[in-house]
């Protein structure tokens, strides 16, 4: 952490430009070594004020909705790819106007919109999402290959007679994984779908690649990309979300009160339910700078949010010093899957959004208030 916690509003998400650039340089090195293309999956990180910066390194964005496609088109202006489990008649025209690639989830959807795509004034590349029925994700919530999954076409349902006009195949079967998982996945995809990949211009490896994690094996990633490129002479796309913003941001919060009920309980001005929902959904325990596991240090606290949800509990943490109201705490790794998922449940205000720039230091980009709460109701 490279800034003064007392110089930012509380609560606030603070993203460090220097850390973001460090991640982007790693991703760019993969592009340079392989000639692959890498897109930002906006689902995980849509802080559009840094899209121009991301666009210096990456090839564009991937979108899971009309709104994301528009944000990527307006704020980055590079390639826009869009995939959704199903598109609607109400949105398809606008989505096509905004997208360079569109990925359909079924032959039915492809046939439904084929004419629109092919009669469009611009050439739009079309992909089909396949389900290789192979993934190493153990939590069903995050496993697109679990039984009866709605994501992609399985080999059994793949109809080779309907590939006219299809430019690429897309799979997304990973979550926070290293490249050994990718290598095994690519092998399965190749065995099952190789004869169709042969007919394609590109293949998209989806997201879930933890490329910017310190122990990530870049050589195996490069080998997996080059395997597909060399064998089929096609372009390879990756569309990570988390890897772009991994370990680049913080959530700064203030202790509002400390109370006692069998243990010390700290009430914060930030909420798991509103501001870091993955803590409850995943679930996981985010790290706080300077803290230890419960009872590892002398003073242990359970932290909860300011909402009325009993389960709005972030976790138990210990410290060398007792905490008091007004103390600041800093949660780490809070840039991805936070701002994009937060909400104003209980009327709780959204954290401000701050960028710690390399040249000019802290910049408060967004402050939220009553109107942001009211406008959605
Ligand atoms: C979620 C998702 C991504 C990004 O996943 P990360 O885990 O954030 O890298 C990419 N592509 C698709 C289709 C997704 O659903």
């Amino acid at each position: 952490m490279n800034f003064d916690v007392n110089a930012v509003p509380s609560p606030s998400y603070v993203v460090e430009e220097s850390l973001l650039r460090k991640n982007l340089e790693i991703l760019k090195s993969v592009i340079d070594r392989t000639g692959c293309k890498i897109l930002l999956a906006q689902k995980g990180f849509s802080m559009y004020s840094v899209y121009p910066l991301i666009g210096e390194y990456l090839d564009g964005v991937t979108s899971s909705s009309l709104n994301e496609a528009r944000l990527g088109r307006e704020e980055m202006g590079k390639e826009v790819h869009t995939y959704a489990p199903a598109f609607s008649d109400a949105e398809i025209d606008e989505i096509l106007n905004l997208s360079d690639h569109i990925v359909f989830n079924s032959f039915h959807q492809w046939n439904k919109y084929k004419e629109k795509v092919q009669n469009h004034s611009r050439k739009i590349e079309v992909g089909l999402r396949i389900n290789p029925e192979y993934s190493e994700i153990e939590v069903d919530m995050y496993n697109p290959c679990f039984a009866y999954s709605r994501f992609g076409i399985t080999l059994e349902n793949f109809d080779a007679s309907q590939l006219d006009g299809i430019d690429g195949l897309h799979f997304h079967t990973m979550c926070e994984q290293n490249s050994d998982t990718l290598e095994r996945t690519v092998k399965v995809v190749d065995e099952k779908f190789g004869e169709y990949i042969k007919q394609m211009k590109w293949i998209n490896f989806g997201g879930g690649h933890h490329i910017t994690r310190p122990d990530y094996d870049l050589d195996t990633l490069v080998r997996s990309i080059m395997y597909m490129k060399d064998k089929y002479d096609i372009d390879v796309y990756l569309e990570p979300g988390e890897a772009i913003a991994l370990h680049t941001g913080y959530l700064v919060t203030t202790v509002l009160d400390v109370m006692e009920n069998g243990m010390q309980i700290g009430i914060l001005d930030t909420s798991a339910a509103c501001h870091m929902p993955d803590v409850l959904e995943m679930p996981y325990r985010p790290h706080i700078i300077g803290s230890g596991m419960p009872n590892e240090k002398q003073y242990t606290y359970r932290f909860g949010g300011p909402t009325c949800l009993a389960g709005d509990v972030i976790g138990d943490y210990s410290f060398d010093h007792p905490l008091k109201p007004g103390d600041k705490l800093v949660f780490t790794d809070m840039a991805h899957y936070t701002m994009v998922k937060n909400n104003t449940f209980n009327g709780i205000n959204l954290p401000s959004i701050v960028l710690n720039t390399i040249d000019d230091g802290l910049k408060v980009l967004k402050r939220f208030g009553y109107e942001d709460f009211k406008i959605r109701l």
Side-chain angles (χ1 to χ4, degrees):
M1 198 185 59
N2 199 15
F3 60 91
D4 174 8
V5 293
N6 294 305
V8 297
S10 182
S12 59
Y13 302 110
V14 184
V15 170
E16 297 259 20
E17 181 189 347
S18 60
L19 298 175
L20 187 58
R21 285 196 186 269
K22 213 155 87 187
N23 282 355
L24 291 164
E25 260 152 35
I26 294 170
L27 294 162
K28 183 74 168 80
S29 77
V30 175
I31 295 173
D32 291 342
R33 283 175 70 184
T34 62
C36 78
K37 292 195 175 187
I38 302 186
L39 310 168
L40 163 70
Q42 297 177 95
K43 180 183 77 187
F45 184 68
S46 300
M47 187 177 158
Y48 60 85
S49 48
V50 293
Y51 279 15
L53 187 161
I54 294 172
E56 290 173 30
Y57 301 84
L58 305 187
D59 297 285
V61 298
T62 198
S63 328
S64 16
S65 60
L66 169 58
N67 288 339
E68 284 189 358
R70 180 169 165 189
L71 190 71
R73 175 61 71 205
E74 289 182 357
E75 301 294 336
M76 194 181 301
K78 298 186 83 177
E79 284 185 41
V80 175
H81 295 220
T82 309
Y83 157 80
F87 295 103
S88 71
D89 292 345
E91 295 189 345
I92 189 71
D93 289 326
E94 227 182 314
I95 284 176
L96 292 177
N97 287 340
L98 293 163
S99 304
D100 300 297
H101 282 211
I102 186 158
V103 175
F104 292 106
N105 194 54
S106 70
F107 283 105
H108 184 247
Q109 281 258 303
W110 161 226
N111 287 321
K112 185 169 178 193
Y113 296 122
K114 186 174 184 171
E115 227 170 281
K116 274 188 189 289
V117 172
Q118 295 188 330
N119 294 334
H120 202 274
S121 56
R122 264 180 320 110
K123 159 81 179 143
I124 300 166
E125 305 241 335
V126 181
L128 290 174
R129 179 161 174 171
I130 54 172
N131 176 356
E133 298 172 270
Y134 178 85
S135 95
E136 300 180 8
I137 302 168
E138 274 151 25
V139 185
D140 277 355
M141 181 75 156
Y142 295 96
N143 184 1
C145 296
F146 68 5
Y148 315 118
S149 164
R150 72 187 181 284
F151 295 115
I153 307 162
T154 59
L155 186 58
E156 193 194 339
N157 293 292
F158 200 85
D159 182 355
S161 71
Q162 298 187 56
L163 294 180
D164 187 38
I166 299 294
D167 303 289
L169 297 180
H170 174 290
F171 66 87
H172 170 72
T173 59
M174 291 169 52
C175 182
E176 300 187 337
Q177 279 158 321
N178 211 319
S179 47
D180 57 323
T181 300
L182 176 66
E183 190 167 49
R184 290 187 287 273
T185 305
V186 163
K187 188 162 171 281
V188 174
V189 169
D190 187 26
E191 280 165 11
K192 290 191 170 170
F193 291 93
E195 61 180 299
Y196 310 122
I197 299 171
K198 235 183 259 166
Q199 308 169 38
M200 299 295 149
K201 282 167 63 180
W202 49 263
I203 185 161
N204 187 322
F205 287 2
H209 316 279
H210 239 191
I211 300 172
T212 49
R213 194 170 78 194
D215 70 339
Y216 189 86
D217 175 3
L218 287 170
D219 291 337
T220 299
L221 171 64
V222 167
R223 201 165 61 241
S224 300
I225 295 168
M226 293 318 293
Y227 173 81
M228 278 292 179
K229 280 179 77 95
D230 290 341
K231 182 162 181 185
Y232 296 108
D233 191 24
I234 51 174
D235 291 329
V236 172
Y237 284 89
L238 306 180
E239 47 180 35
E242 184 156 330
I244 284 139
L246 189 66
H247 296 303
T248 63
Y250 305 91
L251 177 53
V252 176
T253 180
T254 304
V255 178
L256 299 178
D257 196 14
V258 177
M259 58 174 284
E260 174 91 32
N261 179 10
M263 68 183 293
Q264 294 285 308
I265 296 160
I267 298 172
L268 309 182
D269 67 355
T270 192
S271 153
C274 300
H275 305 152
M276 39 182 137
D278 275 352
V279 166
L280 304 180
E281 271 180 35
M282 201 73 169
Y284 82 105
R285 176 184 181 276
H287 179 63
I288 297 175
I289 292 177
S291 75
M293 296 301 287
N295 303 316
E296 183 185 331
K297 297 173 184 260
Q298 197 178 344
Y299 302 95
T300 293
Y301 298 88
R302 172 162 299 176
F303 291 132
T307 69
C308 299
L309 175 71
D312 189 1
V313 171
I314 300 162
D316 295 355
Y317 299 82
S318 67
F319 297 84
D320 290 325
H321 306 284
L323 295 181
K324 57 183 188 315
D327 285 349
K328 292 278 161 68
L329 298 173
V330 181
F331 288 93
T332 63
D333 201 19
M334 282 288 160
H336 56 86
Y337 291 104
T338 49
M339 288 174 250
V340 290
K341 293 186 96 172
N342 63 19
N343 62 76
T344 56
F345 175 56
N346 263 228
I348 302 298
N349 201 19
L350 299 171
S352 299
I353 298 178
V354 180
L355 182 66
N356 192 17
T357 64
I358 293 170
D359 291 339
D360 303 318
L362 293 168
K363 281 190 180 167
V364 180
L365 302 173
K366 281 267 172 101
R367 288 177 196 265
F368 298 93
Y370 174 65
E371 287 306 325
D372 302 289
F373 163 63
K374 188 180 179 193
I375 202 165
R376 299 201 290 190
L377 301 171

